[in-house]
Amino acid sequence: MRLVKGLLERCLEVIELLAVEGQWRRLSDIATALDLQKGPAHRLLTEMATLGWIEQDAETDRYRLTLKLALLGQQYLRGTGLPGIVQPVLDEAARRCGELVRLTVVQGDALHWFASAQGAPPGLMYQPALNGRPVLHTTANGKAWLATMSNEAATRLALQNGLGQPAAPGKLAGPRAMQTIDELLRELDATRARGYGLAVEEAEPGVKAIAAAVREPESQRVLGTISIAGPLLRMGTERDAEFHALLQQASGTLGLVWPRDDSPAASAA
C-alpha cells in the first residue's frame, strides 16, 4: 500500500510540474525538480507515457503533458457548470471597473487561478498569464484568503509558499514584497480591518491589486477570491472604496450562484 501511495504521489508531482507552463521539459530537469535519480525518473515517465498522460518528443527526448488531463478537466468543469456561471459576473465587474478582474478557487492548501475578464481597452490592458498559483504573501488574492484563517494557519501556508525565500523561477516579485512573518501578521491585521487584500508593487513592479474573499453564504466557507488589478498609475487610493464596493457585490453574487454540493450541476459532475 505504501509503495502504491508513493508511486501515485510521484505521478501527481510529475503532472503538477509539467502543467505549470505546458512546455517541453528535459528528463534531467524533471528529475532534479522531483529530487529523483534519472533512472527512476525515466521509468516513471515511460509508464505515464504508456498510460497516455505525457508524451515524449522523438527528436529532443523532452517530455510534456498530453491533452488528456486538460480534456478531463474541461469535462469536469462543464459538469459543474461553474465557468458559465461565474463568467458573466466577472465580465460585468470588469466592465464597471475598466481593469482586469480575476477569480481564484480554493483547492486544498492553495489558491488556483480560474477565470478572468478584461475591462481595459486594447493598448491599455494589463494581462498577465493566468497559470500556476498566485503567491500568497505577495498578491491581493493571497492576502484576502490568508486573512480568513488563523494567524498560525496563514503563517504556515505563507512559509510553504515562499515567504522569506527568493522568488521561485518563473515567479515575478515586486520591490515591496514582504519578507518576514512580522510583516505578514501586520498585513493580515490590516487586511481584516479594511475588509480586502491589497498588494501594491508586491507581486509585480508598477502593478496594484485589490481582492476580496468569495464565501458560501450559509456556511461562510471560503470558495475562492476575486480581484481587480491594473497599473498603479490608474489605480490610485481614491478608487479603493469604489473597487472594494464592486468586489463586495461581485463576491456576494458569486457566493449565491456557486454550485452547491447537492445542486443538480454538482450532482451531474
mmCIF file of all heavy atoms in Angstrom, residues 90 93-94 97-102 115-120 125-128 130 210 227-231 234-235:
data_model
loop_
_atom_site.group_PDB
_atom_site.id
_atom_site.type_symbol
_atom_site.label_atom_id
_atom_site.label_comp_id
_atom_site.label_asym_id
_atom_site.label_seq_id
_atom_site.Cartn_x
_atom_site.Cartn_y
_atom_site.Cartn_z
ATOM 1 N N LEU A 90 -17.904 38.111 -13.666
ATOM 2 C CA LEU A 90 -16.588 38.719 -13.891
ATOM 3 C C LEU A 90 -16.656 39.750 -15.017
ATOM 4 O O LEU A 90 -16.054 40.829 -14.923
ATOM 5 C CB LEU A 90 -15.556 37.643 -14.226
ATOM 6 C CG LEU A 90 -15.347 36.514 -13.219
ATOM 7 C CD1 LEU A 90 -14.206 35.608 -13.671
ATOM 8 C CD2 LEU A 90 -15.064 37.053 -11.825
ATOM 9 N N ALA A 93 -18.219 42.960 -13.691
ATOM 10 C CA ALA A 93 -17.301 43.679 -12.802
ATOM 11 C C ALA A 93 -16.189 44.355 -13.601
ATOM 12 O O ALA A 93 -15.814 45.502 -13.321
ATOM 13 C CB ALA A 93 -16.714 42.709 -11.774
ATOM 14 N N ALA A 94 -15.662 43.664 -14.619
ATOM 15 C CA ALA A 94 -14.603 44.237 -15.457
ATOM 16 C C ALA A 94 -15.113 45.437 -16.243
ATOM 17 O O ALA A 94 -14.413 46.442 -16.398
ATOM 18 C CB ALA A 94 -14.055 43.175 -16.401
ATOM 19 N N CYS A 97 -15.323 48.434 -13.725
ATOM 20 C CA CYS A 97 -14.071 48.992 -13.171
ATOM 21 C C CYS A 97 -13.075 49.381 -14.256
ATOM 22 O O CYS A 97 -12.159 50.174 -14.011
ATOM 23 C CB CYS A 97 -13.430 48.018 -12.190
ATOM 24 S SG CYS A 97 -12.715 46.534 -12.932
ATOM 25 N N GLY A 98 -13.209 48.812 -15.464
ATOM 26 C CA GLY A 98 -12.282 49.127 -16.539
ATOM 27 C C GLY A 98 -10.895 48.552 -16.354
ATOM 28 O O GLY A 98 -9.937 49.041 -16.960
ATOM 29 N N GLU A 99 -10.796 47.504 -15.547
ATOM 30 C CA GLU A 99 -9.498 46.869 -15.307
ATOM 31 C C GLU A 99 -9.653 45.350 -15.385
ATOM 32 O O GLU A 99 -10.734 44.838 -15.694
ATOM 33 C CB GLU A 99 -8.939 47.276 -13.939
ATOM 34 C CG GLU A 99 -8.659 48.763 -13.785
ATOM 35 C CD GLU A 99 -7.511 49.271 -14.646
ATOM 36 O OE1 GLU A 99 -6.803 48.446 -15.248
ATOM 37 O OE2 GLU A 99 -7.332 50.496 -14.735
ATOM 38 N N LEU A 100 -8.575 44.652 -15.094
ATOM 39 C CA LEU A 100 -8.575 43.187 -15.135
ATOM 40 C C LEU A 100 -9.204 42.629 -13.856
ATOM 41 O O LEU A 100 -8.791 42.980 -12.749
ATOM 42 C CB LEU A 100 -7.148 42.670 -15.278
ATOM 43 C CG LEU A 100 -6.958 41.147 -15.220
ATOM 44 C CD1 LEU A 100 -7.619 40.479 -16.428
ATOM 45 C CD2 LEU A 100 -5.472 40.790 -15.155
ATOM 46 N N VAL A 101 -10.179 41.756 -14.019
ATOM 47 C CA VAL A 101 -10.816 41.075 -12.891
ATOM 48 C C VAL A 101 -10.456 39.594 -12.972
ATOM 49 O O VAL A 101 -10.588 38.978 -14.037
ATOM 50 C CB VAL A 101 -12.346 41.256 -12.917
ATOM 51 C CG1 VAL A 101 -13.005 40.440 -11.806
ATOM 52 C CG2 VAL A 101 -12.692 42.730 -12.780
ATOM 53 N N ARG A 102 -10.004 39.044 -11.856
ATOM 54 C CA ARG A 102 -9.602 37.639 -11.846
ATOM 55 C C ARG A 102 -10.249 36.895 -10.686
ATOM 56 O O ARG A 102 -10.471 37.462 -9.619
ATOM 57 C CB ARG A 102 -8.073 37.498 -11.754
ATOM 58 C CG ARG A 102 -7.340 37.918 -13.009
ATOM 59 C CD ARG A 102 -5.855 37.684 -12.925
ATOM 60 N NE ARG A 102 -5.205 38.637 -12.036
ATOM 61 C CZ ARG A 102 -3.887 38.688 -11.830
ATOM 62 N NH1 ARG A 102 -3.100 37.822 -12.424
ATOM 63 N NH2 ARG A 102 -3.371 39.598 -11.028
ATOM 64 N N ALA A 115 -10.452 31.986 -13.627
ATOM 65 C CA ALA A 115 -11.092 32.702 -14.733
ATOM 66 C C ALA A 115 -10.778 34.182 -14.623
ATOM 67 O O ALA A 115 -10.363 34.670 -13.563
ATOM 68 C CB ALA A 115 -12.610 32.471 -14.713
ATOM 69 N N SER A 116 -10.997 34.911 -15.722
ATOM 70 C CA SER A 116 -10.711 36.341 -15.721
ATOM 71 C C SER A 116 -11.593 37.052 -16.731
ATOM 72 O O SER A 116 -12.205 36.429 -17.604
ATOM 73 C CB SER A 116 -9.236 36.607 -16.046
ATOM 74 O OG SER A 116 -8.945 36.246 -17.389
ATOM 75 N N ALA A 117 -11.643 38.378 -16.609
ATOM 76 C CA ALA A 117 -12.345 39.223 -17.566
ATOM 77 C C ALA A 117 -11.584 40.532 -17.673
ATOM 78 O O ALA A 117 -11.116 41.073 -16.667
ATOM 79 C CB ALA A 117 -13.793 39.476 -17.139
ATOM 80 N N GLN A 118 -11.442 41.037 -18.880
ATOM 81 C CA GLN A 118 -10.649 42.240 -19.114
ATOM 82 C C GLN A 118 -11.573 43.426 -19.388
ATOM 83 O O GLN A 118 -12.412 43.378 -20.280
ATOM 84 C CB GLN A 118 -9.713 42.024 -20.305
ATOM 85 C CG GLN A 118 -8.838 43.190 -20.660
ATOM 86 C CD GLN A 118 -7.922 43.621 -19.517
ATOM 87 O OE1 GLN A 118 -8.186 44.625 -18.846
ATOM 88 N NE2 GLN A 118 -6.858 42.854 -19.295
ATOM 89 N N GLY A 119 -11.403 44.488 -18.599
ATOM 90 C CA GLY A 119 -12.224 45.671 -18.777
ATOM 91 C C GLY A 119 -11.505 46.828 -19.433
ATOM 92 O O GLY A 119 -12.141 47.812 -19.819
ATOM 93 N N ALA A 120 -10.194 46.740 -19.560
ATOM 94 C CA ALA A 120 -9.421 47.827 -20.168
ATOM 95 C C ALA A 120 -9.456 47.711 -21.690
ATOM 96 O O ALA A 120 -9.506 46.608 -22.239
ATOM 97 C CB ALA A 120 -7.982 47.791 -19.680
ATOM 98 N N MET A 125 -4.264 47.406 -21.716
ATOM 99 C CA MET A 125 -4.535 46.219 -20.913
ATOM 100 C C MET A 125 -3.335 45.802 -20.068
ATOM 101 O O MET A 125 -2.197 45.805 -20.528
ATOM 102 C CB MET A 125 -4.913 45.039 -21.815
ATOM 103 C CG MET A 125 -6.237 45.170 -22.516
ATOM 104 S SD MET A 125 -6.567 43.689 -23.507
ATOM 105 C CE MET A 125 -8.161 44.112 -24.210
ATOM 106 N N TYR A 126 -3.612 45.450 -18.819
ATOM 107 C CA TYR A 126 -2.680 44.677 -18.001
ATOM 108 C C TYR A 126 -3.179 43.243 -18.066
ATOM 109 O O TYR A 126 -4.270 42.938 -17.605
ATOM 110 C CB TYR A 126 -2.675 45.194 -16.562
ATOM 111 C CG TYR A 126 -2.043 44.219 -15.578
ATOM 112 C CD1 TYR A 126 -0.694 43.885 -15.665
ATOM 113 C CD2 TYR A 126 -2.811 43.620 -14.575
ATOM 114 C CE1 TYR A 126 -0.121 42.981 -14.785
ATOM 115 C CE2 TYR A 126 -2.247 42.731 -13.680
ATOM 116 C CZ TYR A 126 -0.910 42.411 -13.795
ATOM 117 O OH TYR A 126 -0.350 41.507 -12.916
ATOM 118 N N GLN A 127 -2.417 42.350 -18.696
ATOM 119 C CA GLN A 127 -2.899 40.998 -18.963
ATOM 120 C C GLN A 127 -1.797 39.985 -18.680
ATOM 121 O O GLN A 127 -1.131 39.487 -19.591
ATOM 122 C CB GLN A 127 -3.354 40.881 -20.422
ATOM 123 C CG GLN A 127 -4.108 39.593 -20.732
ATOM 124 C CD GLN A 127 -5.475 39.551 -20.102
ATOM 125 O OE1 GLN A 127 -6.268 40.460 -20.276
ATOM 126 N NE2 GLN A 127 -5.760 38.491 -19.364
ATOM 127 N N PRO A 128 -1.564 39.633 -17.414
ATOM 128 C CA PRO A 128 -0.561 38.616 -17.104
ATOM 129 C C PRO A 128 -1.069 37.223 -17.440
ATOM 130 O O PRO A 128 -2.279 37.023 -17.650
ATOM 131 C CB PRO A 128 -0.375 38.774 -15.589
ATOM 132 C CG PRO A 128 -1.719 39.237 -15.120
ATOM 133 C CD PRO A 128 -2.240 40.134 -16.216
ATOM 134 N N LEU A 130 -2.443 33.626 -16.932
ATOM 135 C CA LEU A 130 -3.333 33.065 -15.918
ATOM 136 C C LEU A 130 -2.996 31.592 -15.753
ATOM 137 O O LEU A 130 -3.762 30.707 -16.117
ATOM 138 C CB LEU A 130 -4.793 33.242 -16.338
ATOM 139 C CG LEU A 130 -5.847 33.062 -15.254
ATOM 140 C CD1 LEU A 130 -5.784 34.208 -14.249
ATOM 141 C CD2 LEU A 130 -7.241 32.996 -15.872
ATOM 142 N N ILE A 210 -6.465 44.704 -5.706
ATOM 143 C CA ILE A 210 -7.362 44.665 -4.554
ATOM 144 C C ILE A 210 -8.183 43.396 -4.683
ATOM 145 O O ILE A 210 -8.653 43.061 -5.777
ATOM 146 C CB ILE A 210 -8.285 45.903 -4.526
ATOM 147 C CG1 ILE A 210 -7.467 47.163 -4.259
ATOM 148 C CG2 ILE A 210 -9.381 45.754 -3.490
ATOM 149 C CD1 ILE A 210 -8.288 48.448 -4.309
ATOM 150 N N SER A 227 -10.457 39.542 -7.619
ATOM 151 C CA SER A 227 -9.582 40.715 -7.526
ATOM 152 C C SER A 227 -9.734 41.625 -8.725
ATOM 153 O O SER A 227 -10.196 41.220 -9.799
ATOM 154 C CB SER A 227 -8.115 40.276 -7.419
ATOM 155 O OG SER A 227 -7.694 39.619 -8.604
ATOM 156 N N ILE A 228 -9.336 42.867 -8.517
ATOM 157 C CA ILE A 228 -9.187 43.871 -9.571
ATOM 158 C C ILE A 228 -7.714 44.260 -9.595
ATOM 159 O O ILE A 228 -7.141 44.576 -8.548
ATOM 160 C CB ILE A 228 -10.054 45.105 -9.310
ATOM 161 C CG1 ILE A 228 -11.536 44.725 -9.302
ATOM 162 C CG2 ILE A 228 -9.785 46.186 -10.347
ATOM 163 C CD1 ILE A 228 -12.446 45.857 -8.850
ATOM 164 N N ALA A 229 -7.098 44.238 -10.756
ATOM 165 C CA ALA A 229 -5.674 44.549 -10.859
ATOM 166 C C ALA A 229 -5.406 45.408 -12.078
ATOM 167 O O ALA A 229 -6.097 45.306 -13.105
ATOM 168 C CB ALA A 229 -4.839 43.266 -10.933
ATOM 169 N N GLY A 230 -4.399 46.266 -11.964
ATOM 170 C CA GLY A 230 -4.022 47.113 -13.085
ATOM 171 C C GLY A 230 -2.805 47.938 -12.767
ATOM 172 O O GLY A 230 -2.239 47.850 -11.661
ATOM 173 N N PRO A 231 -2.374 48.753 -13.706
ATOM 174 C CA PRO A 231 -1.212 49.616 -13.476
ATOM 175 C C PRO A 231 -1.454 50.553 -12.298
ATOM 176 O O PRO A 231 -2.546 51.100 -12.129
ATOM 177 C CB PRO A 231 -1.088 50.388 -14.796
ATOM 178 C CG PRO A 231 -1.778 49.540 -15.807
ATOM 179 C CD PRO A 231 -2.899 48.879 -15.079
ATOM 180 N N ARG A 234 -3.145 53.916 -12.732
ATOM 181 C CA ARG A 234 -4.597 54.001 -12.942
ATOM 182 C C ARG A 234 -5.381 53.597 -11.701
ATOM 183 O O ARG A 234 -6.605 53.691 -11.699
ATOM 184 C CB ARG A 234 -5.020 53.093 -14.109
ATOM 185 C CG ARG A 234 -4.530 53.544 -15.467
ATOM 186 C CD ARG A 234 -5.453 53.028 -16.579
ATOM 187 N NE ARG A 234 -5.656 51.593 -16.574
ATOM 188 C CZ ARG A 234 -5.059 50.740 -17.403
ATOM 189 N NH1 ARG A 234 -4.183 51.186 -18.287
ATOM 190 N NH2 ARG A 234 -5.326 49.449 -17.344
ATOM 191 N N MET A 235 -4.696 53.113 -10.692
ATOM 192 C CA MET A 235 -5.393 52.594 -9.513
ATOM 193 C C MET A 235 -4.956 53.339 -8.262
ATOM 194 O O MET A 235 -4.393 52.759 -7.332
ATOM 195 C CB MET A 235 -5.158 51.086 -9.378
ATOM 196 C CG MET A 235 -5.770 50.290 -10.524
ATOM 197 S SD MET A 235 -5.728 48.508 -10.312
ATOM 198 C CE MET A 235 -6.629 48.262 -8.790
#
